Amino acid sequence: MELILSLLQQMCVYLVLAYMLSKTPIFLPLLNISNRLSHKISIYILFSLFCILGTYFGLQINDAIANTRAIGAVMGGLFGGPVVGFFVGLTGGLHRYSLGGFTDIACAISTTAEGLIGGLLHTYLLRRGKGVLLFSPSIVFAITLFAELVQMAILLIVAKPFDQAYVLVSAIAAPMIITNSIGAALFMSILQDRKTIFEEYSATFSRRALNIAERSVGILASGFNSENAEKIARVVYEETKVGAVSITDTNKILAFVGIGDDHHRPETPISSQSTLDAIEQNDIIYLDGKDKHYQCSPKQKSNYCTHK
């Protein structure tokens, strides 16, 4: 029981780190299953680091390390597939091997096997059209529990002498199986919450885009001109709740609604250098209103020429 509590304490540090990272763009590749190479590389790097951290957060017991390394290996396979899972497990296993001890080879093999097990489940669920189950904490709990049982079997088979390996497995089997399985499920729960929030934001933006398109169809039926441009700008302004919306051609303003419409008049030349740069570069220029403001040309005399 003391070992279980100690490992759970170490796992909490692990999960706090995971929670903090879930608030950053680093976790974005984990919110969807993709075959893109960049996606798989991101998963490999992230979960290899978690695998290594799981070893460092472990506890020394009889020339071995009771650890939470399996969380990184199994989840690397779940998100990246067999190849990524294999290399995540191999990386974590080689790192553990470098630390020595009579279980070094057994741990290297078992960690690689755990990553592969997660990857095989990834392939199985996708082929069955049940990819959504990859985000299920209960599924993650079960596969991690199975992977840890495999690890204990490999320790008994590979680690020598057998008597010492048996004593070690007797001491660490229950704590590691319980801790890693619960930890992996909680890790997935964090990701699931993040995925839900992301999907809600995406759905909100999609609804806004559809509303704008629906309201604009009737306006554009009569053609595109300055009058209709003003109507469309107002639709976008009302739907997005932004400070101002402007529609231009390459030289002049066609419509302007919102903050600054007192001096940004239709049929007048574009006065914002940022707008001109975006047109010239054929690219999007993002002005956040905090570090970078929307600014008029210095020729504009109005007091409202800097907009947030």
Side-chain angles (χ1 to χ4, degrees):
M1 181 59 67
E2 182 179 350
L3 180 56
I4 292 176
L5 292 176
S6 296
L7 280 176
L8 286 174
Q9 184 178 21
Q10 297 299 322
M11 182 196 67
C12 288
V13 177
Y14 191 95
L15 291 176
V16 167
L17 178 61
Y19 177 78
M20 293 173 62
L21 288 175
S22 73
K23 303 297 182 181
T24 70
I26 294 175
F27 266 39
L28 288 179
L30 305 182
L31 304 183
N32 293 288
I33 303 300
S34 170
N35 287 322
R36 288 183 299 174
L37 180 60
S38 60
H39 180 100
K40 292 186 179 295
I41 291 174
S42 297
I43 290 173
Y44 165 74
I45 293 173
L46 181 63
F47 285 110
S48 291
L49 291 174
F50 273 114
C51 223
I52 292 170
L53 283 175
T55 300
Y56 280 130
F57 288 161
L59 302 172
Q60 286 284 345
I61 296 178
N62 300 332
D63 196 30
I65 303 174
N67 59 81
T68 55
R69 184 171 57 247
I71 298 176
V74 173
M75 296 195 68
L78 283 175
F79 284 106
V83 175
V84 174
F86 174 83
F87 281 105
V88 169
L90 181 63
T91 301
L94 290 176
H95 171 261
R96 171 61 188 90
Y97 177 79
S98 69
L99 299 178
F102 83 100
T103 62
D104 53 0
I105 296 177
C107 286
I109 296 172
S110 61
T111 305
T112 304
E114 287 177 318
L116 189 57
I117 288 170
L120 291 174
L121 179 63
H122 168 102
T123 300
Y124 174 81
L125 291 177
L126 289 185
R127 287 181 177 177
R128 295 264 177 166
K130 298 180 180 179
V132 67
L133 293 179
L134 290 172
F135 295 93
S136 170
S138 60
I139 294 295
V140 175
F141 177 91
I143 194 63
T144 306
L145 187 149
F146 174 74
E148 279 295 272
L149 289 174
V150 171
Q151 181 183 39
M152 297 305 152
I154 292 175
L155 285 173
L156 289 174
I157 295 171
V158 177
K160 304 297 180 184
F162 175 81
D163 291 343
Q164 190 175 351
Y166 180 80
V167 171
L168 175 66
V169 170
S170 299
I172 68 172
M176 283 186 59
I177 290 171
I178 292 172
T179 303
N180 280 283
S181 300
I182 293 175
L186 291 175
F187 195 118
M188 184 57 76
S189 181
I190 292 172
L191 288 177
Q192 194 177 50
D193 290 343
R194 177 66 171 163
K195 179 177 171 64
T196 300
I197 293 172
F198 183 79
E199 288 176 346
E200 288 177 353
Y201 278 127
S202 298
T204 299
F205 293 139
S206 296
R207 282 196 298 271
R208 287 179 180 174
L210 289 173
N211 288 339
I212 291 171
E214 184 179 7
R215 293 180 62 183
S216 300
V217 168
I219 299 173
L220 292 173
S222 60
F224 187 77
N225 50 45
S226 294
E227 182 181 352
N228 287 343
E230 194 277 336
K231 293 178 181 178
I232 293 173
R234 189 163 297 280
V235 168
V236 176
Y237 177 74
E238 292 172 356
E239 292 289 342
T240 60
K241 312 297 182 185
V242 295
V245 174
S246 177
I247 298 176
T248 76
D249 59 18
T250 56
N251 300 303
K252 64 180 182 296
I253 297 171
L254 300 178
F256 196 103
V257 178
I259 300 172
D261 57 9
D262 60 327
H263 55 279
H264 292 290
R265 300 292 187 180
E267 302 302 324
T268 61
I270 297 171
S271 61
S272 166
Q273 186 59 47
S274 296
T275 303
L276 294 172
D277 290 342
I279 294 171
E280 182 181 356
Q281 298 168 17
N282 193 29
D283 197 8
I284 295 173
I285 295 179
Y286 179 69
L287 308 176
D288 59 15
K290 183 179 179 181
D291 298 324
K292 296 181 180 180
H293 300 286
Y294 175 83
Q295 292 183 317
C296 310
S297 166
K299 295 180 181 180
Q300 289 275 2
K301 302 296 184 182
S302 171
N303 292 328
Y304 301 97
C305 281
T306 298
H307 313 307
K308 294 185 177 180

